[in-house]
């Protein structure tokens, strides 16, 4: 028997129209390069996104054409998120933190036709413009400076749209591509992930569930995560769907800039990588009582494992930290770390430990753990690679043959993360496959060591990598940044780790540095650390030097 339900396509243009029709007076706030605040609302957003769509069509855009953006988080980027889609095009957010040559390679691989760029990023564009073939460059003048020929001013481009009040969206199928992002490319070339209307509609609905992130129309959202990183974790789509007040930080991402914005706009939810929040909690500790935040303020964190010490640190200030796990390929949310109703009432220790896990799968995401001997049980002990599938999880890369190392024959995404899952479904990632340390035949988790080291009160950040060892093949080396004004020694860290790890798992070597190199998305750049320390002088380490010289 067939259903009698109507077959209405799941498209993001529904979110665009809903925002304009139901939430026209709700504010959209952007911090500009000069730190002034630009204020608009959803009524203007709806009108201008539709103007952008018509202007793109008038300029020759065809269905499926890629429109690139090179932009910070602000109102015009939000308009592009929906205007490009409404035109029938595919939004391709370029990562402005990559090297110019890499940005050019990605733009060429995606075959981007048009580019929308902030005027403050024109110097970056100039470094690779002769390597790409954008047919048209549209410049958003955030500073108010005139746009030089031959580029097109964004406002003039919007005004070029034919005045047609009866204009309708082109025919769209829910499986049509709407956006694409490229992976960070830490191993090999970046790979393009293409998202559909359907995938992003379902992802938005799922992440707003109370037992997921729990986003509501009464929230005020500030996405610290860049809009060029995994669609800003889907927040722009969810915000338009619910008509939520949006607060964009522009290029100002230092905690000293974010904290006053949290206070003045009474932000209730923000999302970003752990490195952002590590710096912020240190400022809050130093300036206790300085800020008056919304009592509903909570922080969503992803991108890398969150130390339990960070979660406890924010709890002292009445701020909840919600960890999610995912990747560009999963849109990105796949799991959420919240206490389940089946756990009943729990004390703080259990609650914080739960929040420090990677959480359990959100609805519509299937997850399994696979090792060499097959699918592993959810018993909290068996370890293997996380594999996932679901309606917003990619099954292929843009113009890359489906490869065994990325996808299984039965259609699961191989994430490269190694984990165990408890009987209650909570994921505990032990490492990336490429970051595990095998020492004397034993596996050591760099993630577990990092989180434990960052639990020391004098440590700000720590990254652990494998370095070659003449006897044990590999040994863990910890690269440590101390908190401002504090000192920490290798002996103090070994004593801190001793109750938590077997002796053979504790690093023999510690390097104390001012900063740890990062990827464009804020993760520790372990490839660079491994290269930097691969010739570690173990003889000097044996003599007790905390940071022995690297051998020639």
């Amino acid at each position: 028997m067939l259903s009698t339900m109507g077959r209405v396509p799941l498209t993001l243009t529904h979110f665009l129209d809903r925002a304009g029709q139901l939430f026209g007076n709700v504010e959209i706030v952007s911090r500009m390069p000069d730190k002034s605040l630009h204020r608009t609302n959803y009524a203007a957003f709806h009108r201008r996104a539709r103007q952008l769509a018509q202007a793109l069509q008038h300029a020759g855009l065809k269905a499926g054409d890629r429109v690139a953006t090179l932009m910070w988080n602000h109102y015009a980027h939000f308009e592009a998120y929906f205007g490009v889609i409404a035109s029938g095009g595919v939004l391709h957010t370029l990562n402005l933190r990559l090297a110019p040559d890499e940005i050019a390679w990605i733009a060429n691989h995606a075959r981007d036709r048009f580019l929308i760029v902030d005027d403050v990023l024109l110097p970056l564009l100039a470094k690779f413009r002769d390597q790409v073939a954008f047919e048209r460059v549209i410049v958003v003048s955030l500073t108010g400076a005139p746009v030089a020929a031959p580029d097109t001013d964004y406002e003039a481009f919007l005004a070029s749209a034919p005045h047609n009040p009866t204009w309708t969206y082109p025919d769209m199928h829910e499986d049509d591509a709407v956006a694409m992002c490229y992976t960070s490319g830490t191993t090999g070339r970046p790979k393009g992930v293409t998202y559909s209307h359907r995938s992003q509609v379902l992802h938005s609905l799922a992440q707003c569930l109370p037992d997921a992130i729990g986003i509501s129309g009464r929230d005020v959202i500030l996405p610290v995560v860049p809009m060029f990183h995994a669609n800003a974790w889907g927040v722009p789509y969810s915000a338009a769907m619910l008509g939520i007040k949006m607060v964009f930080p522009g290029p100002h991402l230092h905690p000293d800039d974010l904290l006053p914005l949290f206070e003045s706009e009474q932000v209730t939810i923000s999302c970003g990588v752990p490195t952002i929040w590590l710096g912020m909690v240190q400022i809050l500790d130093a300036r206790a009582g300085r800020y008056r935040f919304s009592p509903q303020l909570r922080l969503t964190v992803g991108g890398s494992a969150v130390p339990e010490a960070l979660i406890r640190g924010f709890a002292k200030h009445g701020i909840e930290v919600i960890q999610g796990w995912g990747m560009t390929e999963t849109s990105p949310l796949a799991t959420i770390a919240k206490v389940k109703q089946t756990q009943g009432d729990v004390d703080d220790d259990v609650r914080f430990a739960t929040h420090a896990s990677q959480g359990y799968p959100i609805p519509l995401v299937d997850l399994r753990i696979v090792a060499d001997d097959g699918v592993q049980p959810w018993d909290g002990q068996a370890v293997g690679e996380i594999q996932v599938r679901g309606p917003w999880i990619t099954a292929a890369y843009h113009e890359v043959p489906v490869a065994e190392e990325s996808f299984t024959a039965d259609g699961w995404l191989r994430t490269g993360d190694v984990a165990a899952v408890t009987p209650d479904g909570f994921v505990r990632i032990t490492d990336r496959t490429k970051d595990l340390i095998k020492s004397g035949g034993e596996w050591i988790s760099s993630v577990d060591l990092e989180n434990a080291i960052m639990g020391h009160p004098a440590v700000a950040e720590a990254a652990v990598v494998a370095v070659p060892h003449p006897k044990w093949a590999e040994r863990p080396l910890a690269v440590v940044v101390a908190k401002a004004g504090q000192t920490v020694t290798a002996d103090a860290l070994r004593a801190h780790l001793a109750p938590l790890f077997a002796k053979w798992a504790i690093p023999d070597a510690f390097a104390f540095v001012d900063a740890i190199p990062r990827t464009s998305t804020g993760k520790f750049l372990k490839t660079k650390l491994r290269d930097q320390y691969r010739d570690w002088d173990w003889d000097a380490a044996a003599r007790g030097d905390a940071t022995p010289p690297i051998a020639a």
Side-chain angles (χ1 to χ4, degrees):
M1 180 178 179
L2 296 177
S3 164
T4 58
M5 293 295 101
R7 186 67 177 172
V8 178
L10 302 178
T11 61
L12 291 170
T13 50
H14 173 79
F15 293 179
L16 173 60
D17 288 341
R18 189 173 194 268
Q21 292 163 0
L22 298 181
F23 310 109
N25 291 330
V26 177
E27 274 194 312
I28 299 167
V29 182
S30 305
R31 175 158 277 178
M32 307 301 281
D34 65 359
K35 297 194 176 182
S36 64
L37 294 181
H38 176 283
R39 296 183 184 272
T40 183
N41 58 31
Y42 276 105
F45 159 77
H46 177 248
R47 172 178 53 81
R48 286 164 59 87
R50 285 174 55 87
Q51 277 184 281
L52 175 58
Q54 294 176 72
L56 287 168
Q57 287 187 342
H58 186 62
L61 181 137
K62 301 293 189 297
D65 285 347
R66 267 73 79 193
V67 178
T69 60
L70 192 65
M71 307 167 80
W72 291 106
N73 293 14
H74 52 68
Y75 71 96
H77 208 170
F78 194 28
E79 292 165 3
Y81 254 66
F82 284 86
V84 172
I85 292 168
S87 72
V90 177
L91 178 81
H92 176 204
T93 52
L94 293 171
N95 185 340
L96 58 88
R97 291 179 177 147
L98 295 176
D101 287 351
E102 192 163 24
I103 300 175
W105 184 91
I106 290 170
N108 289 329
H109 187 264
R111 295 201 294 275
D112 296 329
R113 281 191 65 189
F114 303 145
L115 172 70
I116 307 174
V117 57
D118 291 344
D119 60 351
V120 293
L121 294 172
L122 287 173
L124 172 59
L125 174 61
K127 294 179 180 179
F128 65 89
R129 190 163 186 171
D130 61 350
Q131 301 176 51
V132 292
F134 298 125
E135 295 176 29
R136 193 157 193 170
V137 174
I138 303 155
V139 180
V140 179
S141 182
L142 298 176
T143 64
V147 173
D151 296 339
T152 302
D153 177 78
Y154 180 73
E155 297 300 327
F157 188 70
L158 294 186
S160 72
H163 181 67
N164 181 3
T166 62
W167 179 81
T168 59
Y169 303 122
D171 289 339
M172 295 179 183
H173 190 280
E174 63 181 32
D175 290 325
D176 288 344
V178 293
M180 66 188 306
C181 296
Y182 275 68
T183 62
S184 56
T186 53
T187 55
R189 284 290 195 182
K191 295 185 286 291
V193 177
T194 305
Y195 310 95
S196 68
H197 282 282
R198 180 175 183 269
S199 72
Q200 297 313 290
V201 167
L202 293 174
H203 182 267
S204 299
L205 291 167
Q207 78 169 354
C208 292
L209 290 170
D211 287 334
I213 294 178
I215 302 172
S216 158
R218 292 177 174 82
D219 275 314
V220 178
I221 295 186
L222 191 157
V224 180
V225 59
M227 295 173 77
F228 54 74
H229 182 206
N231 296 327
W233 299 356
V235 166
Y237 302 137
S238 296
M241 177 179 74
L242 298 178
I244 301 167
K245 178 178 176 179
M246 289 283 277
V247 181
F248 291 111
H252 308 292
L253 302 181
H254 191 277
D256 279 332
D257 294 312
L258 294 172
L259 288 168
L261 201 55
F262 279 16
E263 182 179 43
S264 66
E265 302 304 317
Q266 286 296 283
V267 171
T268 63
I269 186 167
S270 186
C271 46
V273 296
T275 50
I276 289 288
W277 309 132
L278 282 166
M280 184 174 288
V281 76
Q282 292 174 37
I283 291 174
L284 291 178
D285 288 343
R287 305 174 191 170
R290 161 67 179 80
Y291 299 100
R292 295 290 183 267
F293 301 130
S294 165
Q296 283 76 48
L297 177 60
R298 64 255 193 225
L299 308 176
T300 59
V301 189
S304 57
V306 180
E308 186 174 329
L310 178 66
I311 297 170
R312 290 178 177 271
F314 273 107
K316 291 190 301 183
H317 300 281
I319 299 171
E320 181 185 16
V321 172
I322 303 170
Q323 180 172 196
W325 171 83
M327 51 204 303
T328 303
E329 290 89 336
T330 65
S331 292
L333 190 62
T335 70
I336 196 74
K338 283 188 169 183
V339 174
K340 292 168 61 178
Q341 74 274 23
T342 53
Q343 292 175 266
D345 295 330
V346 299
D347 60 23
D348 282 348
D349 286 342
V350 173
R351 180 162 56 90
F352 291 139
T354 298
H355 289 181
S357 75
Q358 279 64 55
Y360 53 89
I362 65 173
L364 302 181
V365 172
D366 295 324
L367 182 148
R368 69 186 185 187
I369 301 294
V370 181
D372 290 342
D373 54 347
V375 177
Q376 302 298 298
W378 287 14
D379 60 7
Q381 303 300 317
V383 175
E385 181 188 44
I386 301 176
Q387 297 181 359
V388 290
R389 66 180 180 186
W392 53 79
I393 294 168
T394 192
Y397 293 110
H398 175 64
E399 295 192 354
V400 174
V402 175
E404 182 180 325
E405 63 268 19
S406 300
F407 304 95
T408 66
D410 56 347
W412 294 69
L413 171 70
R414 301 187 60 182
T415 68
D417 280 330
V418 178
V421 183
T422 69
D424 284 338
F426 283 91
V427 177
R428 185 180 67 82
I429 292 178
T430 59
D431 229 320
R432 295 285 293 168
T433 51
K434 63 180 181 292
D435 292 333
L436 279 169
I437 302 160
K438 193 165 190 179
S439 180
E442 299 287 349
W443 289 107
I444 300 173
S445 165
S446 67
V447 170
D448 287 350
L449 284 171
E450 288 162 359
N451 289 342
I453 293 169
M454 284 190 276
H456 190 283
V459 173
E461 295 178 348
V464 175
V465 295
V467 294
H469 189 278
K471 180 177 181 181
W472 303 113
E474 291 181 341
R475 289 296 296 153
L477 177 145
V479 183
V480 179
V481 178
K483 289 181 179 177
Q486 300 197 42
T487 57
V488 63
T489 66
D491 286 343
L493 291 177
R494 290 190 186 99
H496 172 71
L497 296 174
L500 306 173
F501 296 90
K503 185 176 180 180
W504 52 263
I506 295 174
D508 296 323
F510 292 83
F512 297 93
V513 298
D514 294 330
I516 296 172
R518 302 186 182 283
T519 69
S520 62
T521 54
K523 300 176 185 178
F524 293 142
L525 188 56
K526 291 191 175 182
T527 52
K528 186 171 182 178
L529 291 176
R530 283 191 286 266
D531 286 344
Q532 183 177 350
Y533 294 108
R534 67 177 180 271
D535 294 324
W536 185 263
D537 189 336
W538 289 105
D539 290 336
R543 292 193 300 269
D545 294 350
T547 308
I550 297 173

